[in-house]
Every structure is written in C-alpha cells, then in structure tokens.
Amino acid sequence: MNKKKISIGKILLYVFLVIASIAMIVPLIWMLSASVKPETQIFAFPIRWIPEKFMWSNYVKVFTLYPFMTYYINTIKIAVVVTLAQIITCSMAAYSFSKIKYPERDKLFLGYLSTMMVPFQVIMVPQFIIMRMLGLMNTHTALILIGAFAPFGVFLFRQFFLTLPDELSESARIDGCSEFGIYFKIILPLSKPAIGSVTIFTFVAAWNDFLAPLIYINTEDKKTLQLGMRNFQTLYESNYGQLMAAAVCAVVPTILVFLLAQDYFVKGIATSGLKG
Amino acid sequence: MKKIVSSILVTAMTASLITGCGASNDKVEEVKKTGSNDQVKTEEKVDLNLYFRSTNADYAQQVVDAYEAENQNVDIELIKYPNTDYKDKLMVQLAGGGDVDIYDAGNSAWFGDFVSKKQALQLDDLIARDNFDIAPYGNAIEELLIDNKLYTLPVVDSLMVLYYNKDLFDQAGVSYPTEDMTWNEFRELAKTMTSGEGNDKIWGSYIHTWPQCWYGIGLQEGATIIDKDLTPIEKALQFRVDLEEDGSIMPYTESIATNAHYNAMFQSGKLAMSPIGSWHIGQLRVGEAEGNVNFDWDVVPMPHPEGVSPNTTWGMTGQVVIQPDTKHVEEAWDFLKYLCGEEGAKIFSENGVIAGYKTDEIRDIYVGDKTQKPENIDILFNQKVYLENPAIPGIEVVKTEIIDKESQLTFAGERSVEDTMKAIKERIEKEFNN
Amino acid sequence: MKRGAILRKQSNENNRLMGYLFLLPNIIGFAIFTFIPVIAACYISFTDWDGFGKMKFIGFQNYIKMFSDKVFLVSLKNTLVYTIGSVIPLIIIALLVAMALKEGMKFVKVFRAAFFIPHVTAIIAIAAVWQLLFHPTAGPINQFLRSVGISNPPSWLSSTHWAMFAVIIMTVWKSVGYYMIMFLAGLQGIPDSLYEAASIDGAGKFRKFFNVTLPMLSPVMFFTVIIAIINSFKIFSNIYALTQGGPGYSTNVLVYNIYVEAFQKLKFGYASAQAYVLFMIILVITLVQFKGQKKWVNY
C-alpha cells in the first residue's frame, strides 16, 4: 500500500542524508581530534580518529600564548556591525534597483554588480591608499567600511524583491504610502528568507575575512581571529595541534549564527492578501 | 552627478598615486648636509614603527624594550606577522605609502627586491659619519652590497648543519656522522640507518620540501641558481631524487601530503639525520624542556660535495632596513645600530638565535655554559656560509616560481631531471634576464 | 481607468530622486572604497607600475604580453576547467540537497548545519584534512579505490593530471552548503498552493519539479548561477591553501597568478591587466545571462 512505499523511500533518504552529513563533517571531526593530539600523531597513518590521550593543553595554549579572547571580541564586533550595515544599506539599494522605476536603473545595477568581478588582489593597493588618506589605518572602522557595502547583498535582495509582485508596492503607493513606508512595512517583512540568507552569508564572510584585516591591522589588540590563527603556522614551526584548536574555537560562532538564522527560513506568505 | 564627483576623485587619486609613490633618497642629502658630529637627534617624543617577522619578533621586542628604557623619548611600535603574510602586508604598506620606519627586510632575496624598488636607505654615509664598526658583520656585508653600496645591517643569521640522533646510531651500532663527510658518504649512511615499516619506520634522513634544502648542495660548490652553467644544481636535484629512490628519505609528494615537518619528525625520535638550519637548536631545546625529546642528539657540519673542503655550508641572513621616507632618520638610525649592533646581538644570542654581529663575546653568550645540547655547538662559528640567494633583485621569483615549481614535476615522477633542468634554464633565460 | 492615470502621473524625476535616495547609503561607501579602487586598478593595468616607483603609461603592452605568456594561458585554461567542473556539480547537488532538506523534516536544522559546516571551517584545516584523504598510498580514498579493484588509483595532489580534479572535489564538498542556502531561501518562497494545484491535476514528482519548482525557482537559480560563476572565476584561497598552484602549474588559476605577479614579481601593472581580462570574461558571461533571463526566468 501507499504508506509502505513512502516509508521505504523516506528511510533511504534519511540514511543517505546521514551518510552525506557525516561526510560533510569529517574534517570538523578531524580538526577536533587533531586539536587534542600531540604534534607527532596528527599526520600519522593510519588516521586515528579518537586519540589515545586527550591533550587539552592545546586549547590552553591557544588562549594564553596570544590574546585570543581579544581577537574573538574584535571579530564578533566587526562581523555583527558589517552584517547589520549590509542588511540595511543593501536592502535599501536593492529596493531602489527593483521597485522604483527610473530609466537608467538596470544599467546602473549592472555596472554596480560588475565590480564584483574584479579580484580583490588588484584593488587592494588603491583601496589601501584611500584608507590611508582618510587616516583609517589600524582601525576596525576601515574593515567595517570595506565590508558593509558589498554588491553581493544588493544582488541577493534585488533578486528576491523582484519575485514580490509589483502590485504590492503599486497599490500601497496609490493608498498614499511613502516609499520608505512601502520598503519598511511591506517589502521587508515579506523578505525574511532573504534577510536570513544575507545574515548568514555576510556574517560568515566578515568572520572569515583574512586579507583585509591583514592589510589594515597592525597591532595585536586589534587583530581578528583569522589573523590570530596564522600565528600558529609560521615558517619554522607548524603547530597543527594548536592551529586546529584555534580553528575549532573560531568556527563555533558561525555555526551558532547559522542555526539562529534558520528561523527566518520559514515559508513566506508572499502572495497572500493580493487579489486583482 | 555621481559620475562627475567620481571622476574628480579618480583623477585626484591617480594623480597622487603617480606623484606620491616614488621613494626619494632626499633624506641622504639632508644627512650629509648636517655635518659630521652634529647629532640632529631631538629630545621631543618620537614614534617609530618596526616591522618584523614573527619568528624572532619576541626577541626583537626585548631589544625594543631595552632601547626604550635607555631612550625615554622614543616609542617604538613593533608590528609582527608570520612569514608570507608579513611580506604581503609589508608590500601593501610600502606600495601604498603607509608609515614604515624600520623593517625586517626578510631574506637576502627579498632584500634585493626592496633595494631595487628604492625602499631602503643607503647607510654608507651614516656609517662613516658615526664611525660605526661594521667589521663584526664579517663577509655578510660584502654579500649584501648592491652596486657597491650598503643599504642594511644584518640582524640575525642562520646556517645549515646536520643534526643526528645519537641513540638511534647507538642502537644500530653505527658510528656517528663525522665532521668531514662527502654527500656520497652521507647517502650510504642514510641507507644504512633506514629501517622498519609503518609505525616502526626509522628514516635515515629527511630533506624538507623547501627548494634550498636540495639545491644548497650545488651552492656549496660556489654556484648560484642563476649561473649560466647550472651543473651543480642539476647534480643536487639528481641527488635528492637518488635519496628518494634509495628509500632513505620521505618522498617529496608524501611530505607535502602529510604536511611533514623536520621538527616534528626529529622530535619523534624516528629520524636518524636531519640537515636543516641552526634555528632548529632552539626548537629542540624547547622540545627537551617540554619533555618531548628523550634522546641524545648533536650536530656536525653539513656534508660536502667531493672536492669541496669541509665546513662549507649554506644559510641565510636576516637584515633590517630604514625606509627612506621615514620622518625620523636619525632616531631610526640610532635604533638600527642598537638592534643590529652589540646590544641587540647580546639579546638575540641569549635567546639562542645567532646574531649578525659576531664578536667573541657574543659568540660566548650564544654558546652558553655548555649545559645545554648540542655539545658540538662551536662548529656553528667556523663554517664558510654561502647565501641561499644572493642579494639580487628578482631572484626570489627564480627560487619560488621557477626552480620550485619546475622541480615539483620531477618529484611527482612526471619528468626527468634533465628535462626539468632544461625547463629551468629556459625560464631563467626568458624571465629573469628580462 | 483612474489607476492608470495616477500611475502615469508619477514622473520620472520623482522616481529618480527616490531611487537615488535609497541607493545613497550603500553607494557612497561603495563609491569610495570599491568603485574608485576598481577604476584605479583599471588605469594601473595600462602602466608598468611595480608598486613603488612612478607609473609609466605603456598602453596595451600588458594585454598583448599576456597572450604569449605560457603561465597566463595555462592559468586561464585551468580557471575555465575549474569553473565548468565545479559549478555544474555544485548547482545540481546543492539544489537536490536543498529540496531534501525542506522545512518540516526531522532534524532538518541539524542536517543543514552539517552541510554548511564545511563552508565556515577555516580553509587551512580543510586543506590539511583533504591532503591526508588524498594521500596516494595511505589515504582512505585510494585505499577504498584499491579495495574495489582499481589497482592504479590516481596520485591526486601529486599528479599534474589529477590535481585539479582533487581541488574540484574539495571545492564542491566545501561549497555545497553555501549554495544550498540560496536554494532553501528560494524554495521557501514557493507557495504550497501551487503544488496542491499540481497534485489535483495529477502531476507526479517529476512533473511537479519541472513545472512548478524549477520555474518558481528561476530567479534564485539565476542569482545562484551568476554568483557561482563569479566565485569560481575568482577562486584563490582554496588553491593557496591546498596546492599553491602546483604541482608545476597544473592548478595555477588566474587569481593566484595575479597574486604572484603583483606581490612576488612586483608587476602590479601586469597583474591588473590580467585581472581586467578576467573581469571581461566574467562580464560577458554575466551579460549573456542577463539578456537571456527573459527567456527562462519568471518573476
């Protein structure tokens, strides 16, 4: 009967997902395992997933050899501010690029978007010169300003807004609603999945950013986690145990943000309330 | 409107890029004019920044602290980053006109590049003016001259020596490596000392994956990697291939795949001989303190090719440079003398790092009271050291892009030594001589 | 009709003002910190700037030089191979996973997190693990291949023929979660009522997929494909961490080459020119997509 067929299909699906998920987190498990092993055993074959002895000293070293807590706080601060700035400014820009009509709109958007196609490596130096002229060397402000205005967020929001029918905003306009009101009270609430996505992507990108902090930050008290982790991997030493411990510590908040942002991935009520 | 504003900004920006980016050596002129003993050092507060690679940055910090204690009006900020990151960051700072006063110019190859880009202040006049004694730097000064001018002072250096695990030799009943071994004798010894399988495997030797670890053998004959005749380098490449075939060293591809490292390997007690740099002494001492090194070990000079005298090896200098655009030339110079001179050398030596400034006193500090291994530490001071790279602009790229990349194909078993050397020669011809 | 007349009354001027007002917060920052550097980099590509001295204008020399530069051409080829080889599996797998992990399934948050974790994990850790997995003799992958009868498995990262393939495998594994999220967001926007209506019409799973899911997903698909292509063309840190362009030049991709030219060979002018060639390629592909969206994207 039908019920039986569904169960088998679902069971297979679950089995497959479990296997795939394990495959996905294998490196994380390896990292956890390596973070508690002595250096000589980390790369030994055969790979030993559960170490004989748990060497927690790596974690202790990570927090004592370097101001890891400071790196943590710095990174959280930058990532949160950049994420909020992106959500606000990118959704506004996307609203303009999708819901307001003016002739040069789409060409402008393409020009804007095309800057994403230039690798950071070649704009690094001119950008650095500008930052220096603005006196923003060794500041978090510099990192925030770089991260807050990315075309990616605008593109994502715009794409999403385009799926919301124009009639929504048009009818609100006719009812006398201001543009900002339409944006804030109608479009944004319907864009939860987009907000959720941008939150995740932007937070993770800011969290894992390495090049910009390298260029703009000089002093230990302002460094971020990604910079801090490089301390464990110098030319003459390769302290993989400590590096992995640092990497494990660094990955936790991003997973948390991901889990929290999941609440935004609920079914949209996009087309309800719209008739005629 | 946006277009107009942005075009103005662009023009302004590019204009400043074009005009502002040349470093000038006007400062040298200034110094000359102030005359011989007219110290322009002011008593007002001076901020300097010092860029240093993180390997020895902690010791540099000690030097900074000592200097600041004696010179209350100077505040030195130490900016440190691990190796490759350091170079990238320094490049951007220098290219973008950031504030760099004094910086660690990396190995001699980087140094050559920096000088060719006018990022180093010429020091000859300052040295003459202050009668600064550069004799303790020995041969290094000559090696670092560019167009017969001196742009730097060495701060630390390192050289390659052969470490060996005494216990393993005792267990195998084999005599220790001697102070005068040819590479062929080394090869035999490595074969003899290799034994076992899997977790019990003992490696006769381990050659790290950096290209200079194999091409150094060619350097011992006095060759360089940009010679017209690269025969010594070819022999060196062949030698590494031979060692791999003998089975006495870990294959290159396996080293890469397992992120193998000489430090971990030697400390594990499964490596009989390890030819690597003098900085490894510090690492082993730390290992002993942490209880990870439980065997007796010592050092001997590197083996040498037939026909080359013993006590010949290769190594690297670390040198510090003053950025010409600095606003405080006098103060920077004063600190440079301290950092690279006697006082700094003392601090580095106390920390087990060989200083560029070499006097008997400094050497004694480094050698210490002989309570720590290696017993044979004296040999470090009577080696003839060839630089891994001469201070020639553009040579870093030859090492990392040409020699390293091309040799990888041989190590992957995809191309013969002969063909690889042909490819290397061709590329050096084409790219370096450009 | 009254409505039409009112709509027509809205003048372009008003709209334009509003439009720019909304753009303002983002555009100012963007103009200063991204747009100007991008233009500057374009200018630099026509010079021989080495990062330090004066910039001498040399016209199109850099661009001409590129096409006889073997290393550049190899990098270009590698980048194309990499993009095609990774984008196609990524999109397909990410979509399938997103569909499997729809809202309402048990443990769905856990599964999604599992797929997402590779994306957020430090590349250095990921590279270390994959190096071990790909080990030619002792690594699990080749051991498995031998156990199923393949006596001469590829030597992966040690081989110039297989290294790129290995990089692609690692990339797909790492980024599936990233693109999965985009598809999840898109799938959530598809009203259940459409599926119900299709069921009533007698549509089975495949019909529903092709007639409801794909069309409704097309805006997100459009976005995802463009982003995936841009990201693939710009790939850098995966290569930097795993192979550094080797063995030889078999995994040298364009952005890695640009990095080497700029920061190691001190040829900023030449590097910028290469970057702009890359830019042109991506731009053309994207423009084609934008023009083509009328045909397959439903808004």
Side-chain angles (χ1 to χ4, degrees), chain B residues 386-421:
Chain B
Y386 285 102
L387 282 190
E388 280 168 23
N389 323 275
I392 299 178
I395 211 174
E396 174 77 7
V397 167
V398 172
K399 174 174 132 193
T400 56
E401 283 303 301
I402 300 181
I403 295 192
D404 196 17
K405 286 264 149 77
E406 298 294 339
S407 61
Q408 282 173 8
L409 289 177
T410 298
F411 299 136
E414 295 184 17
R415 190 169 61 179
S416 70
V417 170
E418 218 186 303
D419 290 336
T420 290
M421 290 310 297

Side-chain angles (χ1 to χ4, degrees), chain A residues 40 43 45 61 124 128-130 132 210 214-215 217-220 223 227 230 234-238 240, chain B residues 13 17 55 77 80-83 85 89 92-93 96-98 210 258-259 261-264 268 279 283:
Chain A
T40 48
F43 289 104
F45 276 106
K61 284 214 185 118
M124 249 158 73
F128 174 81
I129 294 177
I130 295 178
R132 202 176 52 90
F210 160 71
L214 174 67
I215 299 169
I217 302 294
N218 292 340
T219 51
E220 289 297 307
K223 283 188 183 174
L227 292 183
R230 307 285 282 195
T234 67
L235 189 62
Y236 295 156
E237 281 294 340
S238 253
Y240 271 92
Chain B
M13 258 261 348
L17 273 175
T55 317
E77 171 130 68
K80 59 181 181 184
Y81 271 97
N83 230 61
D85 298 347
K89 181 179 174 75
V92 175
Q93 303 290 319
W210 304 328
T258 55
N259 283 301
H261 199 275
Y262 52 83
N263 192 21
S268 73
W279 64 83
Q283 296 174 329

